[in-house]
Amino acid sequence: MQSEPAFVSRRDLLSLIGAVSGSAAMYHAMTSLGFASDSGYKGPIKLEGDPKGASVLILGAGLAGMTAALELRKAGYQVRILEFNNRPGGRNWTLRGGDSFTELGGASQTCEFDQGLYLNPGPWRIPYHHRALLDYCKRLGVALEPFIQLNHNALLHATNAFGGAPQRIRDIKTDFQGQVSELLAKVTQQGKLDEAVTKQDREILLQALRYWGALDNNYAYKANLISAEFRGYAKDPGGGLTAVPIPGEPVHLSEILKSRLWVYLQNFARHSFQTTMFQPVGGMDMIGKAFAKEVGDLIRYDAKVTRIQQDDSGVTVTYTDLKSAGTPQQAKADWCVCTIPLPILSQLPLEIGDRMKAAIDAVPYSPSVKIGLQFKRRFWEDDEAIYGGISYTDLPIRQIAYPNTGFNGAGKGVLLGAYLFDGPNAYEFTSMTPAERVRRAVGFGAMIHPQYNAEFENGIAIAWHRVPFTLGCAGNWSDQARGEHYENLCQIDGRIVLAGEHASYIPAWQEGAILSSLDAISRLHERVVKT
Amino acid sequence: MQSEPAFVSRRDLLSLIGAVSGSAAMYHAMTSLGFASDSGYKGPIKLEGDPKGASVLILGAGLAGMTAALELRKAGYQVRILEFNNRPGGRNWTLRGGDSFTELGGASQTCEFDQGLYLNPGPWRIPYHHRALLDYCKRLGVALEPFIQLNHNALLHATNAFGGAPQRIRDIKTDFQGQVSELLAKVTQQGKLDEAVTKQDREILLQALRYWGALDNNYAYKANLISAEFRGYAKDPGGGLTAVPIPGEPVHLSEILKSRLWVYLQNFARHSFQTTMFQPVGGMDMIGKAFAKEVGDLIRYDAKVTRIQQDDSGVTVTYTDLKSAGTPQQAKADWCVCTIPLPILSQLPLEIGDRMKAAIDAVPYSPSVKIGLQFKRRFWEDDEAIYGGISYTDLPIRQIAYPNTGFNGAGKGVLLGAYLFDGPNAYEFTSMTPAERVRRAVGFGAMIHPQYNAEFENGIAIAWHRVPFTLGCAGNWSDQARGEHYENLCQIDGRIVLAGEHASYIPAWQEGAILSSLDAISRLHERVVKT
């Protein structure tokens, strides 16, 4: 068994490469939503050959920087890291009770969550095919638990459909699939597919549609115990003398179509979001902390880089110590791996070539806002049987995500009360004060879960365009920028190479940061060993 | 928010009840596969009124029996339980290293799993809508973790399709949905749906099919970055200069149809198997143990019931102590809740009416075989990126289920190497010695995972028709038996009432046992309080 899909012949691959560029527009649409996701990792990197004491200065102790540090030291380099924050991880970040954070504009928040509760303001899920990240989790002993992306009992909500009443995902999903199957089965029976499907296949197709669509013997999808076995019941089967079940009435296809709730169904089928997904037990920053256990001795925290210079003999980085705010200091090394996010980097004096400079300037960062809300009890579980997963809405909050840990417990809980990625709502919420963001999230959320009003306790809101160490969430490559600038961004420029999710085809994912770093240090090492 | 599906009007319900009987045949087909699953639980039972010291003898310390004991004692009854095994739980059972088990026929097995590994030979998953069971888990402090039913990266395998090569579930699922969408989109465009779908809806349907089916702008499903975003890639997107992704070639609809792998897709959409499912952390018997913490003082273990008598004044149960094998003993009480599985009960001398006796005799039990296999390493994760979930095959082993805990860990692991439920294979495996069952499971499994040959360490095999305390897996009601006997089985007969999954419409599920028990003790209590 290999991890490659079946049925890819080498001959086909060549023609497919041609197809790639044609689909670029759609691909961009998907990557800009943070959807692109797979990984070409083939196991731990092997940096063979002696670097002969060469030194590398790494800028940024996020996953890209710490991956580089871990592997380069192992390969024999002298390594140091400069990090802006007073903690490792960068966007690999978890907020817990007592943590405080000051955003650009000066607003400060202190997280008031109870012990054991947390919010991951940055990455929060790990696909099974992010092999590099999973391998580091394994090597570094980071415990994982499932992240529920699709919870059939979570909700889909459109303000102007169904009188504003949220619908269960299982109903919309099953009823759409059932009625689509019914339509296709009917035209198949009527012989309207004859050109596209052979007579032999037609019979099997009918059978398959009946199974797949929960159709009855006449290929109809309707209220009966067949559809109920998929969509759920009006009265559930039980025990003893009160046990007979009653099916519910499907939502008519026309209503589903007009509601546009079908747009959300793809969120459950995408490769990036397929089962089995993971989250680290205890918070995403368990990964950053595990890396720091290995390379923490190399990190200088609170170091704000202000200038990057290079010449034939090496790299000189000027930085200020944010704690002392004293005289600017300098760090020197033979080489530099720079993982500083592009919106920051583009504002620094840099001694690099025009091509890389143009590339750095060409990539805007997506806005993103995440809001964590603590509630007195896990009412979504107790009252509504929603255990983990995500409800989607066309309200400005876009999503409500339920905790994927502590299931069925008696204590309090933290919801992700809003997750705005890109789009006008993300900018709008960024422009508000943190308190106002939280207030809005509670107000909108109460339209889906009225229990918000009685159960809300406190909240915290991170708007990534106001986060001083990134000035945005993640690299938002346009198609044109990819074509013109991507390779220039990734090339080694003299003694400097860039790494991070922005230097990958998996933007906004930790896997992109790690793969980018591994690719960058492979090329750097090759050059070092050659010289 | 309520847990009921949307759009069930009372008017509709009446007509639906009529539809129920018409769908009985299909319903039977599903219940006999253990598929029926929902729950009408409305919160903790309230047994109001004073039983005035009435006593209840409960037969069986499975979930039905212990539920009855817990609630009846709380309501003021004098309660005792007789249990055949030397542990609580009944079919709620977990095997760990050091546990031994002797089946009918005399074959003994001792489980050789390493510490921390286990097999649940009976129930192994808990749907989110099994409200009663989840409520008891909450009240009794049983920690839960997700059970992965659908893992997109697990396998579907048909011996005579694709040259015997297993296919990734994500490929079959995405490619089937994509090509079905394409077919329907084409006939929609050609105006062949005009009668069934309005012109306005037609435009939205096309758009929805494009999203849902991963179609391109011409409504074609083919190898491109659109389909790859759902089915996965031939070459994954990466980082740095080796990052450009290449899509894979879809499996043609005709091949999917002929392979019949589509039959398995429904296993991932059924209400019984939908996300979010659960398993108790540490093994299913954590539930039985948690119940026993409450009612263990009431249980007499190793007590084999040999006779059940009743008259106007009470119930007398004769039993032998399996440890001493001495003189038969008697236990007396005012009332009896009997949860003994029907294949055992039908062989006991019972003083009950003809109707209940006929009902007890009318329900055969399904055969079921589960085989646990320990391997030296979690090769399914390391080599194949399969984290939890189930692979399906037409080989006699039917399923290979991967552990849903300890993900990405470095240690050993136990697979469910076969799960035969009903059907000839289940009987065939039941007739073998345990060692032969394990040998076959390894042999067949190696056709899907060749690593079996090098990595297998030990196994254990439970065939439920040879389990002395049940003589089968679960009640297998025929439609005819339901119609003739179900109510007679559940009625109170003098001073005796039956409970267990067999006395429910959710056979083979723990929820059925609990709901049946709650219904039985409600009626019993009503009678006690009245007299």
Side-chain angles (χ1 to χ4, degrees), chain A residues 73 79 292-301:
Chain A
R73 173 154 73 176
V79 178
K293 229 172 160 179
E294 302 292 317
V295 301
D297 59 310
L298 306 178
I299 305 173
R300 170 144 196 169
Y301 292 108

Side-chain angles (χ1 to χ4, degrees), chain A residues 4 38-39 131 138 150 152 201 229-230 233-234 236-238 240-241 254 271 274-276 382 387 486 503 505 519, chain B residues 4-5 38-39 131 138 150 152 201 229-230 234 236-238 240-241 254 271 274-276 382 387 486 503 505:
Chain A
E4 309 290 278
D38 217 325
S39 156
R131 308 302 300 152
K138 183 162 187 164
L150 164 59
H152 287 75
D201 284 354
E229 267 299 319
F230 292 81
Y233 298 83
D236 304 329
L241 293 181
S254 180
H271 196 218
Q274 289 172 356
T275 49
T276 306
D382 296 346
Y387 299 92
Y486 180 79
Y505 269 67
D519 180 74
Chain B
E4 309 288 279
D38 218 324
S39 156
R131 307 302 301 153
K138 183 161 188 164
L150 164 59
H152 286 74
D201 284 355
E229 267 299 318
F230 292 80
D236 304 328
L241 292 180
S254 179
H271 196 218
Q274 289 172 355
T275 48
T276 306
D382 296 346
Y387 299 92
Y486 180 79
Y505 268 66

Side-chain angles (χ1 to χ4, degrees), chain A residues 1-8 13 16 20 23 26 30 35-36 38-40 128 131 134 137-138 144 146 148 150-153 162 167-168 170-171 176-177 180 183-184 187 192-193 196 200-201 204-205 207-208 211-212 223-226 229-230 232-234 236-249 254-255 257-258 260 262 266 269-271 274-276 278 381-382 384-385 387 407-409 486 490-491 503-506 515-516 519 523, chain B residues 1-8 13 16 20 23 26 30 35-36 38-40 128 131 134 137-138 144 146 148 150-153 162 167-168 170-171 176-177 180 183-184 187 192-193 196 200-201 204-205 207-208 211-212 223-226 229-230 232-234 236-249 254-255 257-258 260 262 266 269-271 274-276 278 381-382 384-385 387 407-409 448 486 490-491 503-506 515-516 519 523:
Chain A
M1 296 303 310
Q2 293 172 359
S3 61
E4 309 290 278
F7 290 96
V8 184
L13 282 185
L16 294 180
V20 169
S23 309
M26 173 58 84
M30 297 191 291
F35 281 153
D38 217 325
S39 156
Y128 63 85
R131 308 302 300 152
L134 286 168
C137 286
K138 183 162 187 164
L144 302 176
I148 310 296
L150 164 59
N151 172 351
H152 287 75
N153 216 39
F162 305 110
Q167 306 298 299
R168 296 281 179 184
R170 62 179 151 89
D171 291 342
F176 183 79
Q177 184 163 315
V180 160
L183 284 175
L184 185 57
V187 294
K192 292 176 180 169
L193 280 187
Q200 189 198 4
D201 284 354
I204 316 177
L205 177 62
Q207 207 180 344
Y211 268 63
W212 191 62
N224 56 28
L225 287 171
I226 302 166
E229 267 299 319
F230 292 81
Y233 298 83
D236 304 329
L241 293 181
T242 55
V244 180
I246 301 173
E249 183 72 22
S254 180
E255 290 185 275
L257 290 175
K258 290 188 181 74
R260 299 190 67 84
W262 47 264
Q266 66 172 323
R270 285 185 173 278
H271 196 218
Q274 289 172 356
T275 49
T276 306
F278 293 110
E381 297 182 347
D382 296 346
E384 302 170 59
Y387 299 92
F407 290 114
N408 208 35
Y486 180 79
C490 297
Q491 296 290 355
S504 83
Y505 269 67
I506 325 175
L515 289 178
S516 148
D519 180 74
R523 288 182 283 122
Chain B
M1 294 304 309
Q2 294 172 359
S3 62
E4 309 288 279
F7 290 96
V8 185
L13 282 184
L16 295 179
V20 170
S23 310
M26 172 58 82
M30 296 191 290
F35 281 153
D38 218 324
S39 156
Y128 64 84
R131 307 302 301 153
L134 286 168
C137 285
K138 183 161 188 164
L144 302 177
I148 309 297
L150 164 59
N151 173 350
H152 286 74
N153 215 38
F162 305 109
Q167 306 298 299
R168 296 279 178 183
R170 63 180 152 89
D171 291 343
F176 183 80
Q177 184 163 316
V180 160
L183 284 175
L184 186 57
V187 294
K192 292 177 179 169
L193 280 187
Q200 189 199 5
D201 284 355
I204 315 177
L205 177 62
Q207 205 181 346
Y211 267 64
W212 191 62
N224 55 28
L225 286 170
I226 302 166
E229 267 299 318
F230 292 80
Y233 298 82
D236 304 328
L241 292 180
T242 56
V244 180
I246 301 173
E249 183 71 22
S254 179
E255 289 185 276
L257 290 174
K258 289 189 181 73
R260 299 191 68 83
W262 47 264
Q266 66 172 324
R270 285 185 174 277
H271 196 218
Q274 289 172 355
T275 48
T276 306
F278 293 109
E381 297 181 348
D382 296 346
E384 302 171 58
Y387 299 92
F407 291 113
N408 207 35
I448 294 171
Y486 180 79
C490 296
Q491 296 291 355
S504 83
Y505 268 66
I506 324 175
L515 289 179
S516 149
D519 181 74
R523 287 182 283 122

Side-chain angles (χ1 to χ4, degrees), chain A residues 62 72 93 104 108 119 123 126 175-176 216 218 275 294 446 491:
Chain A
L72 289 173
W93 186 23
L104 282 186
S108 257
L119 170 73
I126 304 174
D175 294 345
F176 183 79
D216 67 15
N218 299 318
T275 49
E294 302 292 317
Q491 296 290 355

Side-chain angles (χ1 to χ4, degrees), chain A residues 53 81 131 139 146 199 209 229 234 298 326 347 426:
Chain A
I81 310 181
R131 308 302 300 152
R139 286 155 64 188
K199 185 154 192 283
L209 290 170
E229 267 299 319
L298 306 178
Q347 299 177 50

Side-chain angles (χ1 to χ4, degrees), chain B residues 319-338:
Chain B
Y319 65 97
T320 53
D321 183 321
L322 291 170
K323 282 206 170 148
S324 66
T327 331
Q329 304 181 43
Q330 290 197 327
K332 291 171 188 287
D334 299 325
W335 305 91
C336 176
V337 175
C338 175

Side-chain angles (χ1 to χ4, degrees), chain A residues 247-420:
Chain A
E249 183 72 22
V251 186
H252 194 280
L253 180 61
S254 180
E255 290 185 275
I256 296 174
L257 290 175
K258 290 188 181 74
S259 76
R260 299 190 67 84
L261 292 181
W262 47 264
V263 299
Y264 300 110
L265 296 177
Q266 66 172 323
N267 293 352
F268 312 125
R270 285 185 173 278
H271 196 218
S272 306
F273 298 145
Q274 289 172 356
T275 49
T276 306
M277 296 200 89
F278 293 110
Q279 63 183 16
V281 176
M284 188 56 84
D285 70 352
M286 292 298 172
I287 298 177
K289 287 175 176 169
F291 267 102
K293 229 172 160 179
E294 302 292 317
V295 301
D297 59 310
L298 306 178
I299 305 173
R300 170 144 196 169
Y301 292 108
D302 299 304
K304 180 179 179 174
V305 171
T306 55
R307 179 168 197 169
I308 302 174
Q309 295 165 281
Q310 64 171 325
D311 59 25
D312 290 349
S313 67
V315 179
T316 302
V317 173
T318 307
Y319 63 97
T320 53
D321 184 321
L322 292 171
K323 282 206 171 148
S324 66
T327 332
Q329 305 183 43
Q330 289 196 328
K332 290 171 187 289
D334 299 325
W335 305 91
C336 176
V337 176
C338 175
T339 74
I340 296 174
L342 301 183
I344 310 278
L345 200 57
S346 67
Q347 299 177 50
L348 294 181
L350 290 175
E351 289 183 0
I352 51 168
D354 291 343
R355 286 186 179 183
M356 183 182 271
K357 178 63 185 154
I360 289 170
D361 293 342
V363 186
Y365 268 35
S366 301
S368 165
V369 177
K370 272 190 176 174
I371 303 175
L373 305 175
Q374 176 173 308
F375 294 92
K376 288 175 204 159
R377 64 184 184 93
R378 297 168 74 103
F379 60 80
W380 50 94
E381 297 182 347
D382 296 346
D383 303 353
E384 302 170 59
I386 297 174
Y387 299 92
I390 304 173
S391 290
Y392 289 90
T393 172
D394 61 359
L395 292 170
I397 53 173
R398 308 305 302 170
Q399 304 184 21
I400 295 175
Y402 310 92
N404 293 306
T405 195
F407 290 114
N408 208 35
K412 300 179 178 184
V414 166
L415 296 185
L416 178 63
Y419 178 24
L420 319 177

